[in-house]
Amino acid sequence: MTPRRGGRPLVPAYLSTGGVARPSRTHLERLSVLTGSGEPAPAGLTAAQAALLEELGYGALTVVEAAALLRLPVSAVLVLAADLIDHDLVLARAPIPPARRFDPDLLKRVADGLRDLKHR
């Protein structure tokens, strides 16, 4: 992808996926965590696939982080990641679940206890 003025790539994003519009893996999400499998990259990878593998060589990334680094839409990175998973070059795991919310009653009791300590 050749950059041009304004920072926009000269090559449209859909060409980076070979014209494929939907990923072959439906379980991939925007926050799925991608890591390289450690397998050597075969010849014949597209430039975008090679760039994604290179970024994953530095450590795990979520799909949205990879999209930002590659300056591609998330939908394109989902297609690229799915293709690399199909070729056993990338591993993906489910997003890290959000932390459970604290019990509001517990927070109120802690705040009341801190206020009591302050007034002693």
Side-chain angles (χ1 to χ4, degrees), residues 48 58 65 113:
Y58 299 114
E65 290 171 326

Side-chain angles (χ1 to χ4, degrees), residues 7-87:
R8 294 181 58 205
L10 185 60
V11 177
Y14 67 86
L15 290 180
S16 65
T17 65
V20 178
R22 298 198 192 294
S24 62
R25 306 278 176 144
T26 57
H27 71 278
L28 284 176
E29 301 175 29
R30 299 168 59 88
L31 295 177
S32 293
V33 180
L34 305 174
T35 55
S37 67
E39 294 292 321
L45 291 179
T46 66
Q49 289 173 327
L52 178 55
L53 276 179
E54 182 180 339
E55 291 297 337
L56 294 176
Y58 299 114
L61 294 171
T62 62
V63 171
V64 293
E65 290 171 326
L69 288 169
L70 297 175
R71 295 179 168 225
L72 288 172
V74 172
S75 59
V77 174
L78 285 170
V79 171
L80 293 171
D83 191 42
L84 292 172
I85 292 168
D86 291 343
H87 290 93

Side-chain angles (χ1 to χ4, degrees), residues 70-119:
L70 297 175
R71 295 179 168 225
L72 288 172
V74 172
S75 59
V77 174
L78 285 170
V79 171
L80 293 171
D83 191 42
L84 292 172
I85 292 168
D86 291 343
H87 290 93
D88 297 323
L89 296 171
V90 168
L91 305 171
R93 65 181 158 89
I96 298 169
R100 289 188 299 156
R101 294 188 62 195
F102 290 106
D103 178 16
D105 185 52
L106 173 65
L107 292 176
K108 183 181 180 326
R109 289 185 308 191
V110 169
D112 291 343
L114 290 173
R115 266 189 238 102
D116 287 345
L117 287 173
K118 181 180 177 183
H119 294 295

